[in-house]
Amino acid sequence: MMSLAGKIKSIGILVVGIGLCGVFFNNCAGSFGEIESSSLSSFCSPTCHPETANIEGENIDIRQTTESYMSLLNMSKADFAGTDFTEVMNEQKRRRSLLPQDRNSALVNSVGVLSQSSLAGEICRVFVSKKAATSTLFTGVDLQKTPSETAEAAWLATYDRMAEQIWGRALRPEERAAVSEFIKASITETADSVNLNKTSGTQNLESANLAIMMCTTVLSAPEATFL
């Protein structure tokens, strides 16, 4: 049986790369024109950590992507400190050459989508660990409990709210059906997981992993990145 970690990777490819992207790509393709820098200062600006700013050969798109992810989740630089900051910066360095240098829909490819998913996963990891407890996105979801102790409907409602906030629209019926099927399968699988009763901070490890996966698939979709 595939582990939850393996399923996270698979669903990231399936739902974002094939399913959801295929469904809504035509709606977002027109948004790939030139975009101005976000009003949120880059992660990180010279006033934050000068040693990380204006890295030689840096793909500016990696900054715009990170800024976009943070803004969509209502996060700020203050939410990243210590090892969280280091890990996100390392992920930026790993992915910066893999994102398209030009805002052109013809340059979107699987490598770029997976690179965005990987970076989004780091942002979502920090979001879930530090902000989920107070975020209205997770209303009805208790991350201190196992996935099955939260109703499937509550998990699905969380995904609905994420889509509304991050994509600016509700899930379409076919998207909702795919997400519902994934949530159901994940809850069933985690019932036999060796990590079922393990914790990450105050959160149940499997519930935290499921929350990170859901956040990642929504955040790394083209509709979120190229608003």
Side-chain angles (χ1 to χ4, degrees):
M1 182 176 289
M2 185 184 294
S3 66
L4 182 59
K7 185 173 282 292
I8 288 174
K9 294 179 181 178
S10 297
I11 200 67
I13 297 171
L14 177 62
V15 175
V16 178
I18 300 175
L20 298 185
C21 278
V23 170
F24 61 61
F25 187 78
N26 287 335
N27 289 335
C28 65
S31 303
F32 278 78
E34 294 295 325
I35 62 173
E36 296 180 358
S37 178
S38 168
S39 58
L40 176 67
S41 60
S42 65
F43 187 103
C44 252
S45 68
T47 58
C48 179
H49 287 261
E51 70 274 17
T52 66
N54 300 318
I55 301 171
E56 183 177 357
E58 178 182 29
N59 178 356
I60 193 64
D61 189 57
I62 197 71
R63 285 198 187 179
Q64 294 173 329
T65 300
T66 305
E67 291 172 9
S68 175
Y69 291 163
M70 292 169 61
S71 179
L72 289 167
L73 290 173
N74 296 320
M75 300 181 77
S76 68
K77 289 178 291 187
D79 295 315
F80 297 82
T83 57
D84 287 331
F85 172 80
T86 300
E87 290 179 17
V88 171
M89 289 306 302
N90 286 340
E91 188 63 24
Q92 282 188 321
K93 291 176 184 178
R94 284 192 291 269
R95 303 298 170 182
R96 69 189 185 206
S97 64
L98 301 177
L99 294 178
Q101 295 282 342
D102 187 12
R103 294 292 195 174
N104 186 334
S105 60
L107 298 178
V108 175
N109 55 45
S110 59
V111 173
V113 170
L114 291 175
S115 294
Q116 288 175 266
S117 297
S118 185
L119 178 59
E122 283 298 320
I123 302 295
C124 286
R125 178 185 59 77
V126 178
F127 174 72
V128 169
S129 66
K130 293 186 175 180
K131 308 279 283 188
T134 58
S135 173
T136 56
L137 291 176
F138 286 94
T139 300
V141 172
D142 188 344
L143 294 178
Q144 294 184 356
K145 296 181 178 179
T146 65
S148 63
E149 290 179 297
T150 292
E152 290 178 25
W155 285 110
L156 186 55
T158 288
Y159 207 102
D160 283 332
R161 286 189 289 270
M162 286 182 178
E164 289 276 7
Q165 177 171 312
I166 295 173
W167 297 346
R169 66 166 176 82
L171 290 171
R172 298 191 178 98
E174 60 270 32
E175 294 168 346
R176 206 165 191 271
V179 172
S180 178
E181 190 65 27
F182 168 73
I183 290 172
K184 185 187 296 292
S186 295
I187 290 175
T188 299
E189 180 178 320
T190 56
D192 298 322
S193 171
V194 296
N195 296 321
L196 184 61
N197 295 312
K198 292 183 180 180
T199 59
S200 175
T202 62
Q203 297 172 345
N204 174 269
L205 182 59
E206 292 289 6
S207 286
N209 283 341
L210 181 53
I212 292 168
M213 180 284 305
M214 292 167 60
C215 172
T216 301
T217 60
V218 178
L219 197 61
S220 59
E223 274 194 351
T225 309
F226 299 108
L227 288 174

